[in-house]
Amino acid sequence: MNVKVLSIEPAKETGTFDVLVSMDTDEHKFTMTVETHIVSDKGIQVTNGDKHFSQTFKFHQMIALKISKLVSKVYNNQAVELPADIDESYHKELASYV
């Protein structure tokens, strides 16, 4: 599957983003939220996609994770270069945990 994140724009509600993604020849718009929860005096960010996002990437969890990480970066005012190609490979992700 050829997936590219085209844009991540803040929505009206704080912590909510409109994410435009192209998949092969189709474009999809998702709403994603980023929330910070305090656990043991530390802030943990949780990024969630809407029902359409969850259904679309139900069998492509690595793609969902990578899109979520991009949204989190935008939420934290970190630089994100768009459009961004997203692939399903997990070898680099696994290497970062070793």
Side-chain angles (χ1 to χ4, degrees), residues 14-57:
T14 303
T16 303
F17 297 87
D18 294 322
V19 182
L20 184 61
V21 176
S22 72
M23 297 182 332
D24 297 324
T25 59
D26 299 326
E27 287 187 359
H28 297 267
K29 186 176 180 181
F30 306 106
T31 300
M32 299 189 72
T33 59
V34 180
E35 299 173 334
T36 302
H37 300 279
I38 304 300
V39 177
S40 297
D41 297 327
K42 294 183 182 181
I44 297 182
Q45 286 186 348
V46 178
T47 305
N48 289 305
D50 60 15
K51 186 175 180 177
H52 179 52
F53 181 84
S54 299
Q55 289 293 339
T56 302
F57 298 110

Side-chain angles (χ1 to χ4, degrees), residues 62 66 88-96:
M62 190 54 64
K66 290 179 179 183
E88 287 188 88
S89 69
Y90 57 88
H91 302 291
K92 289 180 186 176
E93 293 291 324
L94 289 177
S96 70

